[in-house]
């Protein structure tokens, strides 16, 4: 029996092949007599899993040598504090506020440094992106924070900003939690990028940080050692016990992604999936997308029924057809379909089929 299609924003769908492989290897990883969960993180078995995962990730995203890749814990929300603890030097940072997540990031950073909100799209209800030319970047900011895919509001920067061209010398910090590995990254524009694994990579509990090595070594004195990027980097993410099982699953996902043709190939599929859903929404008066067309997320697609009284019945009928977790974020209401890498085109076709049938019944 085939599994239902799961549109959760996170923790989210994983490739079936990854889950099957993990199940097959659960009790005995490669003849070691151990589950990956039972292995010492310093043993040769786990070190080989870790090294393969790191190398595959580096290859998939073409991460340059002068970036460290850290496998940490704490999730994106912890990074909202860990980034200023490491990069702000207690001075100031610029924030571009484009939705719920960057809003939350700037609020947390205020505990550790001075925050300058360089731009905000709050006035449009976070349905647009403020034009980069209008950002009020400040002189001397230690970094500029963006969330390049706003998971709640469904707004995506289809290109990362070129801060140098905007007159800022500061490194760009990007929260890429919900579209990591959905498309290539232009590392020449990035100082640091972070994201939790549970959206597009693996189980909750692993946080990936990509950091330019020249930014290491300036943590505030009260930064916890386990969250000091330099200490984590110097210890190959094993200063403390890393989330070993999560890293193993992430590694299987990286292998799966390579077998799919890599990030460039999956990006093309992600574009096709998102277009299918947006085109259908735009062709109908029964469903509405509120996000401006130039910044619609390919990963997280909030949409609304013109008649909100039908929400519960839309969700119940979707579930009966094997379409799970479509309910919108609590503060926005409506629906949200997350189309991560592991969501096949067939899942989006099934969703559009349900939307069409539901509209015909109720319009
Ligand atoms: C999910 C998410 C987070 C928070 O992740 P946690 O693991 O709950 O800390 C942060 N930023 C973005 C963009 C997210 O999608």
């Amino acid at each position: 029996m085939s599994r239902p299609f799961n549109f959760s924003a996170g923790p989210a769908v994983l490739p079936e092949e990854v889950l099957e492989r993990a199940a097959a290897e659960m009790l005995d990883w490669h003849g070691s007599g151990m589950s990956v969960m039972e292995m010492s993180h310093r043993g040769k078995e786990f070190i080989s899993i870790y090294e393969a995962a790191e190398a595959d990730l580096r290859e998939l995203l073409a991460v340059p040598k002068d970036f460290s890749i850290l496998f940490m814990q704490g999730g994106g929300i912890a990074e909202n504090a860990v980034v200023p603890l490491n990069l702000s030097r207690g001075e100031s940072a610029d924030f571009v506020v484009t939705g719920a997540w960057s809003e939350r990031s700037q609020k947390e950073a205020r505990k550790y440094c001075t925050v300058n909100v360089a731009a905000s799209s709050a006035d449009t209800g976070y349905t647009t992106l403020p034009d980069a030319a209008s950002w009020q970047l400040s002189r001397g900011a230690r970094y500029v924070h963006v969330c390049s895919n706003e998971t709640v509001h469904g707004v995506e920067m289809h290109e990362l900003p070129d801060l140098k061209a905007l007159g800022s010398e500061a490194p760009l910090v990007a929260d890429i939690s919900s579209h990591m590995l959905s498309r290539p990254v232009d590392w020449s524009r990035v100082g640091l990028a972070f994201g939790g694994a549970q959206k597009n990579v693996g189980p909750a509990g692993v946080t990936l940080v990509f950091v330019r090595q020249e930014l290491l070594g300036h943590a505030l004195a009260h930064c916890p050692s386990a969250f000091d990027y330099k200490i984590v980097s110097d210890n190959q993410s094993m200063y403390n016990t890393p989330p070993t099982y999560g890293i193993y699953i992430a590694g299987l996902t990286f292998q799966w992604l390579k077998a799919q043709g890599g990030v460039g190939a999956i990006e093309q599929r992600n574009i096709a999936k998102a277009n299918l859903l947006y085109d259908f929404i735009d062709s109908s008066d029964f469903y509405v997308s509120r996000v401006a067309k130039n910044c619609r997320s390919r990963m997280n697609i909030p949409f609304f029924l013109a008649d909100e009284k039908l929400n519960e019945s839309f969700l119940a009928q979707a579930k009966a057809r094997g379409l799970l977790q479509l309910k919108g974020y609590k503060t926005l209401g409506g629906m949200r379909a997350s189309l991560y890498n592991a969501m096949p085109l067939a899942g989006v076709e099934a969703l559009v089929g349900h939307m069409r049938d539901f509209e015909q019944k109720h319009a």
Side-chain angles (χ1 to χ4, degrees):
M1 205 196 89
S2 73
R3 302 169 78 226
F5 295 113
N6 180 350
F7 295 91
S8 171
V13 59
L14 286 170
E16 208 161 293
E17 294 92 324
V18 166
L19 298 177
E20 277 164 0
R21 173 109 176 255
E25 295 177 346
M26 176 62 76
L27 297 184
D28 180 7
W29 182 83
H30 294 202
S32 65
M34 296 179 278
S35 169
V36 175
M37 273 181 256
E38 304 171 307
M39 290 174 182
S40 163
H41 58 298
R42 307 206 184 274
K44 67 175 188 335
E45 295 90 352
F46 184 75
I47 297 282
S48 76
I49 290 170
Y50 174 86
E51 287 178 346
E54 210 251 18
D56 286 341
L57 177 57
R58 200 175 276 281
E59 179 186 332
L60 280 164
L61 279 177
V63 182
K65 279 205 189 61
D66 58 334
F67 277 74
S68 290
I69 301 180
L70 314 178
F71 291 81
M72 299 179 67
Q73 305 188 51
I77 291 176
E79 289 305 314
N80 286 340
V82 176
V83 170
L85 278 164
N86 277 275
L87 302 191
S88 76
R89 307 194 199 185
E91 297 172 13
S92 74
D94 289 345
F95 283 74
V96 178
V97 178
T98 55
W101 285 111
S102 46
E103 171 61 32
R104 207 168 158 159
S105 299
Q106 64 84 21
K107 202 166 163 209
E108 180 75 1
R110 287 172 195 270
K111 292 185 175 180
Y112 306 100
C113 64
T114 303
V115 164
N116 168 46
V117 174
S120 168
S121 51
D123 58 338
T124 68
Y126 299 125
T127 59
T128 58
L129 278 179
D131 183 16
S134 73
W135 297 0
Q136 304 287 310
L137 299 172
S138 62
R139 194 182 288 269
R142 284 293 177 186
Y143 63 94
V144 177
H145 176 109
V146 301
C147 176
S148 45
N149 187 63
E150 289 279 0
T151 321
V152 171
H153 288 88
V155 171
E156 181 168 7
M157 295 182 178
H158 291 295
E159 205 177 74
L160 292 175
D162 180 355
L163 293 183
K164 277 204 186 67
L166 297 171
S168 170
E169 291 299 316
L172 180 73
V173 170
D175 176 355
I176 59 169
S177 293
S178 51
H179 68 167
M180 190 187 332
L181 287 164
S182 72
R183 64 180 217 195
V185 174
D186 180 352
W187 294 104
S188 73
R189 297 186 172 183
V190 175
L192 183 148
F194 68 82
Q198 74 270 24
K199 309 288 166 59
N200 215 5
V201 174
V206 183
T207 312
L208 288 157
V209 178
F210 306 84
V211 56
R212 212 178 263 283
Q213 279 140 15
E214 68 188 23
L215 296 175
L216 299 174
H218 300 285
L220 296 174
H222 56 276
C223 177
S225 304
F227 287 127
D228 180 327
Y229 293 138
K230 179 161 181 8
I231 293 176
V232 179
S233 176
D234 287 348
N235 289 280
Q236 285 76 43
S237 302
M238 306 223 187
Y239 172 74
N240 55 346
T241 309
T244 51
Y245 197 76
I247 291 170
Y248 158 70
I249 299 289
L252 295 183
T253 304
F254 302 152
Q255 288 174 28
W256 174 84
L257 204 44
K258 283 171 72 172
Q260 304 303 302
V263 172
I266 209 85
E267 179 186 35
Q268 292 311 311
R269 270 189 257 168
N270 288 332
I271 291 171
K273 288 185 301 182
N275 284 347
L276 179 64
L277 182 51
Y278 282 120
D279 288 349
F280 178 73
I281 292 170
D282 289 342
S283 73
S284 149
D285 296 328
F286 193 82
Y287 302 101
V288 184
S289 159
R290 297 181 182 155
V291 179
K293 287 191 176 166
N294 67 346
C295 57
R296 285 175 168 180
S297 171
R298 295 171 188 157
M299 293 284 104
N300 309 101
I301 304 184
F303 65 91
F304 301 86
L305 275 61
D307 180 358
E308 299 250 300
K309 288 195 296 297
L310 295 173
N311 283 356
E312 288 311 314
S313 114
F314 178 90
L315 288 166
Q317 291 179 35
K319 191 168 177 197
R321 290 174 73 148
L323 307 170
L324 307 184
Q325 308 205 74
L326 283 161
K327 194 179 165 109
Y329 189 75
K330 52 187 190 274
T331 54
L332 277 195
M335 308 297 150
R336 175 173 52 175
S338 294
L339 311 183
Y340 295 120
N341 289 347
M343 172 61 61
L345 181 65
V348 189
E349 288 167 348
L351 172 59
V352 168
H354 167 57
M355 291 169 72
R356 187 178 284 122
D357 293 349
F358 190 84
E359 174 172 356
Q360 268 160 17
K361 253 186 277 172
H362 294 93

